[in-house]
Amino acid sequence: MYALGVVAQSVASRRADRGLGGLGLLARLARDRLYLLGFAGQLGGFALAFLARAGLPLYLVQAGSSCAVGLATLFGALVLGWRVRPVEVAVLVVMALGLVLLVASATPSTAHDLPPMAAVVLFGLPLAVMAAAQRRVGRPVPLAALAGLAFAVVAVTSRTIADEPVLGLPLNALAWVMVAAALVGQSYLALALGRGSATSTVATMDATTVVLTSVVGIAALGDRVAPGREWWVGLGVALVVSGVLLLGFADRFTRAPARVAG
């Protein structure tokens, strides 16, 4: 669902970006059916990831989500005529191997609760700065990295509240931080997709998110690893992140940007 959403959003963002800021671009894209289809895919992927975070460590859930960049490449090849090269197939195999290592080393656990007010300040202030600084960032790679930072906040906050009763979420301050982070991340992602390659944009974003959430999850949230398999996690994350980056930047430097009608 993430992969289908990224491909649809990429095409829609390229034809809509006319130098608008992130929120202005989102307002224009809200009237684009193709973008809304892609957003629905992103929303469905987020819902599934949110449910998974209730009992699984972030290093596994985020690594699994990041593999959407490989599926996006395959979908682009089948539907949009992207050329998939042998090196990309090899990279997809490496990513799959990394994901297998993470699955084999993950142990289900419930995350430690974060102090609500401290977490709101810790996450809210950087999000406010990011929202105010969107017009000052113009290049796709920094935009994608900042999108990854915002989505890392989404992952960390949702990991701590995913096991809470659904009806109580509107009263949880962290739930609103999660929503704000998702909006900021989505606006940065829209800008990055409009100005750069879809694959390299998602690669940069996902690599940022996977690394940050893996560290925070193990260090602060109590994400557990099967005894004796700690190095499996390190190797698995390294393989997934390396594969994501290689796939993204190989696409950036060797594939001509797709022409978009509009």
Side-chain angles (χ1 to χ4, degrees), residues 6 64 94 130 142 164 169 198-199 202:
V6 164
V94 170
M130 289 172 62
E164 300 290 333
L169 291 180
T199 308
V202 177

Side-chain angles (χ1 to χ4, degrees), residues 28 110 148 155 215 241:
R28 172 174 290 187
T110 301
V215 172
V241 170

Side-chain angles (χ1 to χ4, degrees), residues 7-212:
V7 172
Q9 286 180 316
S10 175
V11 175
S13 296
R14 282 178 177 273
R15 67 189 184 192
D17 185 6
R18 297 293 185 270
L20 297 172
L23 296 179
L25 179 58
L26 279 183
R28 172 174 290 187
L29 289 171
R31 300 189 295 271
D32 188 312
R33 292 182 179 179
L34 181 60
Y35 183 84
L36 291 177
L37 176 64
F39 183 74
Q42 293 271 309
L43 195 61
F46 168 79
L48 294 173
F50 180 84
L51 294 174
R53 292 185 192 111
L56 293 176
L58 284 177
Y59 61 79
L60 176 59
V61 178
Q62 296 311 125
S65 298
S66 73
C67 290
V69 68
L71 296 176
T73 299
L74 295 178
F75 183 77
L78 294 173
V79 178
L80 301 179
W82 294 355
R83 181 171 60 89
V84 178
R85 295 149 296 173
V87 65
E88 292 174 314
V89 176
V91 169
L92 292 176
V93 172
V94 170
M95 292 170 63
L97 177 60
L99 195 57
V100 168
L101 287 174
L102 292 175
V103 170
S105 58
T107 298
S109 62
T110 301
H112 297 159
D113 291 332
L114 296 175
M117 289 301 103
V120 168
V121 173
L122 178 64
F123 296 133
L125 290 179
L127 289 174
V129 172
M130 289 172 62
Q134 283 184 335
R135 291 182 179 273
R136 299 178 181 273
V137 185
R139 297 183 64 83
V141 172
L143 286 168
L146 288 170
L149 175 59
F151 285 123
V153 173
V154 173
V156 170
T157 51
S158 63
R159 169 77 166 125
T160 64
I161 64 176
D163 60 331
E164 300 290 333
V166 174
L167 294 179
L169 291 180
L171 302 178
N172 192 316
L174 284 180
W176 293 104
V177 172
M178 179 186 70
V179 172
L183 290 174
V184 172
Q186 195 67 32
S187 61
Y188 270 100
L189 175 59
L191 282 171
L193 287 173
R195 300 175 188 180
S197 158
T199 308
S200 62
T201 292
V202 177
T204 302
M205 179 185 72
D206 281 347
T208 302
T209 302
V210 170
V211 171
L212 290 176

